[in-house]
Amino acid sequence: MSEPLNLKAKLGLNVFKEDKERHINIKPGMEKDPRLKRAVLVCPAGLYSLNDKGEVEFTIDGCLECGTCRIACGVEVLDWKYPHGGAGVQFRFG
Amino acid sequence: MEERFDAIIVGGGLAGLGAAYTLASEGLEVLLLERGDYAGAKNVTGGRIYLNPVRDMYPDLWKKAPLERFIAHEEVAIMAKERSLTLRYSGEELRTEPYQSYSILRAKFDRWFAKQVERKGAMIVTKSKVDDLIFENGKVAGVKAGEDELYADVVIACDGVLSLLAEKAGLRKPGNPKDYAVGVKEVIELEAAVIEERFGLSEGEGVARLFMGEVTKGMFGGGFLYTNKDSISLGLVVSIKELMENKDRIELPVMFEEFKNRPEIAPLIKGGQTAEYSAHVIPEGGYKALTKLYGDGILVAGDAAGFSMNIGVTVRGMEYALASGYYAAKAVIKAKEKGDFSAKTLAVYEEMLKNSFVMQDFINFKEAPHVLENPRFFTYYPELVTSIMRDLYAVPAGPKERLYPTVKKYLGFKQLWAMAGDMRKVMKI
């Protein structure tokens, strides 16, 4: 995120259950693919960011499982699965 | 573990629960698998549900359903950079039972709906993610969920907008950004009395307000506000393609924060406590982006099939989910009578949809997605309309200009010609 916002605090309001492994991964060799940069703009949870070298960094914590990065970046770039059953975000309002 | 069912339904959203409810009501053995802790745990809506199209498909459901407020007032706010124009429509028919639409929170509603489905005799297993389909002789024969292999005559994929299962069945390809939008939403808690006072509502009444224009920085999309019983659902929906290509590199969470801070919004949510922040992809490609709806031993329903539609004045998905789940179940019942679950028999599902409001809406509005994509709707018109309002209301120190010239200066030949062009396209909707 280019601005701090209160995004972390906002995500902190949600119920998340930890997963055994990351359910979204950048495919090996695709770390510098320009399509990844789209995720920085579209991810509602701000999980993708550009570092000083202009590379995309990604964390899974706070993932809302919305699917936007899969649509924007595509399956050639991202290995995209849902978390295991009973893991990940559990919406109380939805 | 190996077990056999008449039907396995993947996903406890409205399509899946609707299909399970309908099948179990007819006595079929149904297993519904849901990856969340409970049905609704992974489901997000704007949200408002319209009941008229689905009332009779689920006649016993609505009386006790945990819906929020009936929508008695329809509002649209045209948002320019520094000004806005809000219209409020209120009508006797909106205040009269049976009410046309309700605000809804899906984690609450779906969880309750799942209980009704279980009461009908369907089996629901939560915390169970389906990883793959099982094929036998080229036909879908069941699903793999972790260590379990589960078999059924037919699988109904109601696994949501990305539908990884329909992909595995070869019924669709991964989605194209131009056919999808992303929605973000905050549920902001406020006391019922405060909501009613702030929005001018009688007890139990609700309001739906859509925002178009500057809120999405000229991109295809808009904002929404729905009043729930004791909270407000406030959110933004933006085209994924336009968002990922936006030249100013505006990030979605920043856009949402700016929306919340607009002077038209901030006082409405003042003092409220945000309780949850959610997001989801929404299918918006319309008729042309629908997936293949059936194959050997498999049907696709709800968002998984692309059944959601934005026509500007209404954004709808939940009725299509409930109806497609219902018709998928009816198709399965027909297939069971025949003892044949091949694609040829299951094709009756598409026939039923074509004879219903679902496909008729999608065909009637098939031009809507590309007509509404017109960027002039999101920048030019909001600025134009609100500039005219500014000048009409302005009282200068000197003499005030006559009203007709005030308006006319914005509407020269060039502008009117361009508007007529837009109008011709809008007439296709």
Side-chain angles (χ1 to χ4, degrees):
Chain A
M1 296 299 305
S2 54
E3 284 180 42
L5 294 180
N6 46 2
L7 198 52
K8 274 237 165 77
K10 219 151 83 167
L11 290 166
L13 301 167
N14 293 353
V15 174
F16 290 101
K17 287 174 67 194
E18 213 174 318
D19 201 4
K20 294 178 258 189
E21 54 188 17
R22 284 162 65 118
H23 64 275
I24 302 170
N25 286 286
I26 298 165
K27 285 194 174 170
M30 288 292 179
E31 295 82 357
K32 289 182 179 162
D33 193 285
R35 284 172 287 187
L36 262 184
K37 289 191 182 163
R38 299 169 179 172
V40 179
L41 303 179
V42 302
C43 176
L47 304 183
Y48 296 82
S49 57
L50 284 175
N51 66 18
D52 300 342
K53 291 184 226 156
E55 293 163 349
V56 174
E57 289 181 358
F58 169 60
T59 168
I60 197 78
D61 299 331
C63 178
L64 300 168
E65 301 164 37
C66 66
T68 311
C69 58
R70 187 180 195 259
I71 302 261
C73 304
V75 292
E76 283 172 29
V77 178
L78 294 178
D79 179 18
W80 205 104
K81 289 189 293 238
Y82 286 113
H84 288 87
V89 69
Q90 311 289 337
F91 291 120
R92 293 162 298 132
F93 296 88
Chain B
M1 168 169 125
E2 185 180 314
E3 282 188 54
R4 217 187 151 78
F5 297 87
D6 289 326
I8 293 174
I9 296 165
V10 182
L14 293 181
L17 291 167
Y21 185 90
T22 309
L23 286 170
S25 301
E26 300 272 342
L28 273 75
E29 291 201 12
V30 184
L31 171 67
L32 186 150
L33 299 169
E34 161 57 43
R35 67 188 179 88
D37 273 359
Y38 41 86
K42 304 288 182 177
N43 303 345
V44 182
T45 180
R48 170 237 293 256
I49 187 166
Y50 293 88
L51 291 192
N52 289 341
V54 293
R55 209 183 294 277
D56 297 339
M57 292 177 193
Y58 304 92
D60 306 328
L61 207 57
W62 305 115
K63 241 184 196 142
K64 288 185 182 161
L67 299 166
E68 296 295 314
R69 290 172 180 270
F70 67 91
I71 302 301
H73 309 277
E74 303 279 0
E75 302 181 344
V76 59
I78 299 163
M79 310 288 278
K81 269 202 173 75
E82 292 169 345
R83 42 190 63 85
S84 64
L85 172 68
T86 305
L87 295 171
R88 175 171 174 125
Y89 170 73
S90 306
E92 186 57 35
E93 80 288 352
L94 296 178
R95 296 187 288 268
T96 309
E97 283 192 88
Y99 302 121
Q100 162 167 286
S101 72
Y102 289 82
S103 49
I104 179 172
L105 292 165
R106 291 286 303 281
K108 212 160 131 187
F109 179 82
D110 293 14
R111 208 170 179 172
W112 172 86
F113 191 8
K115 282 204 184 98
Q116 316 312 310
V117 170
E118 283 178 320
R119 263 184 211 153
K120 291 279 178 192
M123 185 172 162
I124 298 182
V125 177
T126 57
K127 303 183 194 178
S128 173
K129 183 181 67 147
V130 170
D131 301 306
D132 214 342
L133 293 168
I134 300 170
F135 290 90
E136 277 175 5
N137 308 320
K139 167 192 176 305
V140 175
V143 299
K144 286 182 195 159
E147 301 295 301
D148 297 334
E149 296 200 342
L150 303 153
Y151 291 84
D153 290 331
V154 63
V155 171
I156 309 179
C158 305
D159 53 335
V161 56
L162 301 181
S163 193
L164 306 187
L165 279 195
E167 271 182 31
K168 287 178 199 288
L171 299 175
R172 66 175 285 174
K173 294 206 166 68
N176 185 328
K178 76 171 173 47
D179 295 325
Y180 296 88
V182 49
V184 290
K185 177 175 93 164
E186 275 184 41
V187 173
I188 301 164
E189 291 181 317
L190 275 170
E191 276 177 40
V194 173
I195 292 175
E196 283 160 8
E197 195 175 312
R198 227 169 249 194
F199 291 90
L201 305 171
S202 301
E203 202 184 331
E205 281 186 355
V207 60
R209 185 183 299 182
L210 299 182
F211 301 83
M212 61 169 292
E214 166 63 18
V215 293
T216 51
K217 312 289 172 193
M219 292 177 232
F220 178 56
F224 60 82
L225 183 155
Y226 297 102
T227 53
N228 304 312
K229 275 197 177 115
D230 40 26
S231 65
I232 285 169
S233 292
L234 180 72
L236 272 186
V237 175
V238 194
S239 150
I240 294 181
K241 184 172 184 338
E242 295 192 25
L243 189 61
M244 75 191 203
E245 289 173 353
N246 90 79
K247 296 247 162 23
D248 299 324
R249 297 197 61 78
I250 304 164
E251 296 166 7
L252 179 57
V254 177
M255 193 191 289
F256 185 36
E257 237 14 67
E258 287 183 14
F259 172 54
K260 275 176 65 187
N261 290 330
R262 288 276 310 212
E264 295 90 345
I265 302 282
L268 298 177
I269 56 174
K270 194 179 158 204
Q273 289 291 326
T274 299
E276 189 169 82
Y277 176 55
S278 56
H280 219 282
V281 168
I282 306 163
E284 285 202 341
Y287 183 66
K288 291 164 192 164
L290 291 178
T291 70
K292 208 164 174 309
L293 298 169
Y294 58 91
D296 286 317
I298 186 166
L299 293 168
V300 190
D303 272 7
F307 285 133
S308 168
M309 196 164 52
N310 180 350
I311 59 166
V313 283
T314 60
V315 186
R316 296 170 49 194
M318 290 183 280
E319 308 81 65
Y320 298 123
L322 281 166
S324 59
Y326 173 84
Y327 287 117
K330 292 290 178 193
V332 167
I333 290 161
K334 283 230 151 113
K336 191 176 163 64
E337 283 165 10
K338 271 186 149 183
D340 174 24
F341 295 88
S342 68
K344 211 177 135 203
T345 306
L346 293 176
V348 67
Y349 171 47
E350 189 162 340
E351 281 309 305
M352 290 174 176
L353 288 170
K354 276 186 179 153
N355 291 325
S356 77
F357 76 95
V358 177
M359 222 43 129
Q360 285 165 17
D361 279 358
F362 272 79
I363 291 169
N364 285 340
F365 293 107
K366 69 171 187 276
E367 302 300 333
H370 78 261
V371 170
L372 292 170
E373 255 165 37
N374 185 349
R376 286 165 52 85
F377 292 138
F378 304 97
T379 46
Y380 172 70
Y381 286 109
E383 290 297 340
L384 175 74
V385 170
T386 55
S387 297
I388 292 174
M389 297 311 284
R390 173 194 58 200
D391 293 357
L392 285 174
Y393 283 113
V395 177
K400 183 167 168 60
E401 193 181 25
R402 285 179 49 227
L403 296 185
Y404 182 64
T406 302
V407 175
K408 189 158 186 299
K409 68 173 177 279
Y410 290 101
L411 304 171
F413 178 75
K414 217 175 99 189
Q415 288 89 343
L416 288 173
W417 182 256
M419 277 181 211
D422 290 336
M423 200 50 179
R424 270 198 304 277
K425 288 180 201 140
V426 168
M427 282 161 66
K428 288 186 194 163
I429 301 181

